[in-house]
Structure formats: C-alpha cells, structure tokens
C-alpha cells in the first residue's frame, strides 16, 4: 500500500515539530541555573526545619567552645 509523498512529508513535519517541542522542554528542565536554584531552595527548606536547625546550631556552639578552650590552654 503506497502512501502519497505529501502525506509522508506532513507526517515528517509533525514528527519534527514534536521532537523540537520535546527538546525545548528537556532544555528548560535541565537548565543548570534552574537546577541550582531548586537545590538551594530545597536545602534552605531542610535547614529551616527545627529537627535539623537546632542540632546544627548546638554542634557549632560546641565546636566553638572547644576551639576557644584549646586556644586558651
């Protein structure tokens, strides 16, 4: 069953347009600046949780006290 050339060309154009749209979407999702911003937002949100925030502050204070003690000896 032979297809006419115009139908084949139209299908090729449609496939090409679909491919271009997919590549544009992938380019937008894989944008390094967007990925970095997303990682920063996620990290800030995690560090703002009390379960994470207060132990980190306590650990920093403990290290500070130990360093001061070591320097004063």
């Amino acid at each position: 069953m032979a297809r006419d050339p115009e139908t084949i060309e139209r299908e090729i154009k449609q496939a090409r347009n679909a491919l271009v749209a997919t590549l544009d979407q992938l380019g937008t999702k894989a944008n390094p600046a967007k990925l970095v911003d997303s990682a920063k937002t996620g990290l800030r949100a995690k560090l703002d949780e009390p379960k994470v925030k207060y132990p980190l502050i306590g650990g920093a204070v403990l290290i500070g006290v130990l360093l001061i003690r070591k320097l004063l000896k």
Side-chain angles (χ1 to χ4, degrees):
M1 190 179 230
R3 299 184 327 180
D4 77 84
E6 290 177 7
T7 303
I8 295 171
E9 286 180 19
R10 190 176 10 175
E11 289 174 354
I12 290 171
K13 278 186 180 179
Q14 288 173 346
R16 187 180 298 134
N17 290 338
L19 180 60
V20 167
T22 301
L23 290 174
D24 285 343
Q25 289 175 350
L26 287 173
T28 301
K29 286 182 180 180
N31 183 351
K34 191 173 183 181
L35 292 173
V36 168
D37 287 340
S38 176
K40 282 182 184 178
T41 303
L43 182 61
R44 284 188 183 135
K46 192 68 169 170
L47 290 176
D48 283 340
E49 291 179 15
K51 286 182 180 180
V52 176
K53 184 178 188 177
Y54 297 124
L56 285 176
I57 291 171
V61 168
L62 179 62
I63 290 172
V65 168
L66 291 173
L67 286 173
I68 290 172
R69 253 181 84 188
K70 183 107 175 159
L71 290 173
L72 294 177
K73 281 188 174 183

